[in-house]
Amino acid sequence: MNERGVAGRLERAGEVVLLFLKLGVTGFGGPAAHIAMMRDDVVRRRCWLSDQDFLDLLGATNLIPGPNSTEMAIHLGFRRAGWAGLLGGGVAFILPAFCIVLGLAWAYVEYGSRPQAEWLLYGIKPVVIAIVLQALVGLGRVALKGPLLVALSAAVLLLYLLGVNEVALLFGGAAAVLVVKGAGRLRAMSLPALAAPLFFLPAAGFASTTAANFSYREMFLVFLKVGAILYGSGYVLLAFLRADLVTRLGWLTEGQLLDAIAIGQVTPGPVFTTATFAGYLLGGWWGAVLATVAIFLPSFVFVAASYPFIPLLRRSALAGAFLDGVNAAALALMAGVTLRLGEAAIVDPLTAALTVAAVVTLIV
């Protein structure tokens, strides 16, 4: 590439970084709001790509695990400025939220036990439950398309409450819908391709309740696993973190996990920066960095790997069936973990009233 080409690519990478830094600071409202803001900037204002191209990238993010809005930032950066844009767009979108959540995590550890902070968190937790309930209703209208997906979601919820591992349920749900909706096509596929959605099942098993001493390595692997397999809304993060950090390892309490989710919700940028907060609680500054890198790293890998296949994914009926199953199972996991965390958040008539009031406010 000549000097002019290199200079142009660097200039475009700089544009990508500045845009996503701005969106990382101002991006309140969750993934849907983030994606609407991105479209406004890159399609309407800057004309980097067409609406159809934008929708193709959005469809691709729905077919790979990880946080949708962060993956859109990575996709758009890659489309605009190649590898430098891929890294710059993703990091720039994540960095503001990481810094804000890290500061709040420090304040939480230093001052969270004071009466004023305890009362604030006491009032925030029921509101978080209400926000998740609202998300469940909205996502359910989109995800539960027909009796098959409704029945699958109900079965996954029951099995989750009985203790079946959430990874097995997520990929098992996807496999079930693939089998039912794509039976004809699946018969023509090779056995390895048919087994691909079940890759994580043998290792998943059932949730263990054996706690172990904290280690940075195991913490990194927990967040890496979550980033590599989590589909659906960022709220599904609740189910995975609760299963590993609260139930299996015993590193966090239910209350601490709710506080982490609350901080991730009220700050701009990706909800996945909940990992920053949890990492700081577990391992200080170094733990926050490791947890954040681990949970977002798979998104960069998946975007780079899937980008060449976007035109094919858009036309794939099997990809659509897989996504339908994943979304229905993810919704059930959200419902199950909301029931569990509601027990920690709604502890008396006042918190129950706060939850009801927040639900009514959000609906109206």
Side-chain angles (χ1 to χ4, degrees), residues 19 40 50 78 124 132 134 142 190 192 205 224 251 266 280 295 306 355:
L19 170 63
D40 185 63
S50 68
F78 197 17
I124 286 176
V132 178
Q134 183 206 27
V142 177
S190 65
L224 186 68
W251 288 348
V266 300
Y280 185 85
I295 202 167
S306 66
T355 304

Side-chain angles (χ1 to χ4, degrees), residues 37-295:
M37 294 169 69
M38 289 178 193
R39 180 193 170 277
D40 185 63
D41 264 303
V42 303
V43 176
R44 193 174 70 84
R45 296 175 185 273
R46 300 169 188 262
C47 299
W48 286 357
L49 70 170
S50 68
D51 257 326
Q52 185 59 64
D53 289 334
F54 187 88
L55 287 172
D56 286 349
L57 295 180
L58 182 59
T61 65
N62 286 325
L63 290 171
I64 58 177
N68 285 1
S69 57
T70 304
E71 288 171 347
M72 277 299 288
I74 299 169
H75 263 305
L76 292 166
F78 197 17
R79 177 68 175 264
R80 179 64 177 169
W83 291 101
L86 179 144
L87 292 172
V91 171
F93 185 62
I94 296 164
L95 187 60
F98 168 77
C99 293
I100 293 167
V101 171
L102 186 58
L104 291 172
W106 171 84
Y108 176 89
V109 171
E110 293 295 318
Y111 305 109
S113 61
R114 297 190 177 185
Q116 299 92 329
E118 290 178 352
W119 274 104
L120 176 63
L121 294 171
Y122 170 88
I124 286 176
K125 290 174 186 176
V127 176
V128 171
I129 296 297
I131 291 171
V132 178
L133 288 172
Q134 183 206 27
L136 274 169
V137 173
L139 292 169
R141 294 187 182 123
V142 177
L144 302 182
K145 299 174 289 187
L148 171 63
L149 296 176
V150 171
L152 171 66
S153 191
V156 169
L157 174 59
L158 177 61
L159 291 171
Y160 174 77
L161 294 176
L162 292 174
V164 178
N165 179 270
E166 69 285 348
V167 180
L169 292 173
L170 193 66
F171 286 92
V177 176
L178 271 175
V179 169
V180 173
K181 286 192 171 184
R185 294 183 179 90
L186 288 170
R187 282 194 293 269
M189 295 174 63
S190 65
L191 182 60
L194 178 59
L198 304 178
F199 176 77
F200 291 97
L201 295 188
F206 290 78
S208 167
T209 57
T210 303
N213 292 328
F214 171 76
S215 75
Y216 287 109
R217 177 182 174 277
E218 186 159 12
M219 183 198 71
F220 183 88
L221 292 175
V222 165
F223 285 104
L224 186 68
K225 180 193 77 172
V226 171
I229 63 176
L230 194 148
Y231 281 89
S233 162
Y235 293 115
V236 184
L237 187 66
L238 280 166
F240 286 84
L241 294 186
R242 182 181 180 276
D244 277 319
L245 301 182
V246 178
T247 303
R248 181 171 66 86
L249 296 168
W251 288 348
L252 293 179
T253 65
E254 301 272 16
Q256 287 173 322
L257 178 60
L258 264 176
D259 295 340
I261 294 294
I263 294 299
Q265 176 63 30
V266 300
T267 50
V271 176
F272 271 42
T273 47
T274 292
T276 305
F277 191 92
Y280 185 85
L281 295 187
L282 295 172
W285 302 96
W286 185 231
V289 171
L290 278 179
T292 306
V293 169
I295 202 167

Side-chain angles (χ1 to χ4, degrees), residues 319-343:
F322 175 82
L323 185 60
D324 285 343
V326 162
N327 286 341
L331 192 71
L333 293 177
M334 282 178 63
V337 80
T338 302
L339 289 173
R340 301 291 193 200
L341 292 175
E343 297 172 0

